[in-house]
Amino acid sequence: EADIYQTPRYLVIGTGKKITLECSQTMGHDKMYWYQQDPGMELHLIHYSYGVNSTEKGDLSSESTVSRIRTEHFPLTLESARPSHTSQYLCASSWNNPFSSYEQYFGPGTRLTVT
Amino acid sequence: GQQVMQIPQYQHVQEGEDFTTYCNSSTTLSNIQWYKQRPGGHPVFLIQLVKSGEVKKQKRLTFQFGEAKKNSSLHITATQTTDVGTYFCAGGSNYQLIWGAGTKLIIKP
């Protein structure tokens, strides 16, 4: 089993609050990702990072921001939570190969509910 | 943009019947990966195919990568209750993974 951790696992929060979802991995992977997924539905890439000080937006427009100050840590921040942000947020990591794509290891996810 | 289409969205089977899901890409892929997500869980990597026409087996699961490296399939023989979940394909292209929408395997009661 991969060593990638997410906290909190569940979060219920009111509209307008600022929240940070934590993600850490101990595998030394260069590449990290954040996905948004409604239960049983497809994965939507919202942010990714190739390494320290590198962040990119994914395919899904998102009101969140990310940072990558340390290799192992990739937090996601929502400045002002809204009910439309209610979803599951999955963090993943992989090795960064310039010629191919490596398998991704997923954390257990954070299930966010905004009331 | 690049897309990976996955069908069907759902498949209901009796326990013991076979299950198949298909992925098709609009562009040639460098590789294809398959993941399984149990209900309430997170995606878990199953396998990666890299070569044109490649076939790999894991017990009752058979994975194929098309000759043109644009399509792939996952076939499960004699499904069991432990197979329940959503199966995702993800195609490697331009150093990114492009995810299919997933096929949910449901065992009829």
Side-chain angles (χ1 to χ4, degrees), chain A residues 39-113:
Chain A
M41 303 300 285
E42 60 189 296
L43 295 158
H44 295 285
L45 180 67
I46 48 176
H47 294 283
Y48 62 98
S49 165
Y50 286 109
V52 171
N53 294 325
S54 149
T55 61
E56 303 283 345
K57 292 196 177 208
D59 305 321
L60 181 68
S61 173
S62 172
E63 293 154 341
S64 57
T65 58
V66 290
S67 62
R68 190 90 183 272
I69 298 171
R70 303 195 317 265
T71 298
E72 63 272 20
H73 194 216
F74 191 43
L76 176 86
T77 298
L78 276 168
E79 291 292 333
S80 180
R82 295 193 289 153
S84 60
H85 294 137
T86 295
S87 190
Q88 174 163 257
Y89 292 83
L90 290 163
C91 180
S93 70
S94 71
W95 294 111
N96 186 23
N97 183 334
F99 303 106
S100 185
S101 48
Y102 280 113
E103 67 195 75
Q104 295 184 12
Y105 293 88
F106 284 81
T110 294
R111 203 172 289 276
L112 173 66
T113 302

Side-chain angles (χ1 to χ4, degrees), chain A residues 35 37 50 98 100-101 104, chain B residues 31 35 37 48 95-96 99:
Chain A
Y35 292 91
Q37 184 189 36
Y50 286 109
S100 185
S101 48
Q104 295 184 12
Chain B
N31 62 68
Y35 293 76
Q37 185 176 23
Q48 177 170 272
Y95 327 131
Q96 299 288 346
W99 290 81

Side-chain angles (χ1 to χ4, degrees), chain B:
Chain B
Q2 294 170 319
Q3 285 189 323
V4 171
M5 305 300 293
Q6 188 172 358
I7 57 169
Q9 188 177 2
Y10 302 92
Q11 191 167 356
H12 295 77
V13 299
Q14 297 277 6
E15 188 174 2
E17 290 182 338
D18 292 356
F19 162 87
T20 306
T21 173
Y22 302 90
C23 282
N24 284 288
S25 169
S26 55
T27 59
T28 301
L29 301 169
S30 58
N31 62 68
I32 190 106
Q33 300 176 12
W34 286 92
Y35 293 76
K36 177 184 178 181
Q37 185 176 23
R38 294 181 187 274
H42 56 276
V44 175
F45 174 80
L46 293 176
I47 207 161
Q48 177 170 272
L49 305 172
V50 177
K51 298 177 185 175
S52 169
E54 190 170 12
V55 178
K56 287 189 177 180
K57 293 193 176 189
Q58 289 180 350
K59 296 183 181 178
R60 295 178 294 103
L61 278 62
T62 302
F63 304 85
Q64 292 188 314
F65 200 12
E67 294 290 340
K69 301 182 76 173
K70 284 187 173 184
N71 57 73
S72 182
S73 66
L74 157 60
H75 180 83
I76 302 177
T77 304
T79 54
Q80 300 174 358
T81 54
T82 52
D83 297 324
V84 162
T86 302
Y87 292 84
F88 291 96
C89 64
S93 180
N94 293 331
Y95 327 131
Q96 299 288 346
L97 270 186
I98 306 165
W99 290 81
T103 296
K104 191 171 290 186
L105 169 58
I106 299 163
I107 303 282
K108 296 177 189 175

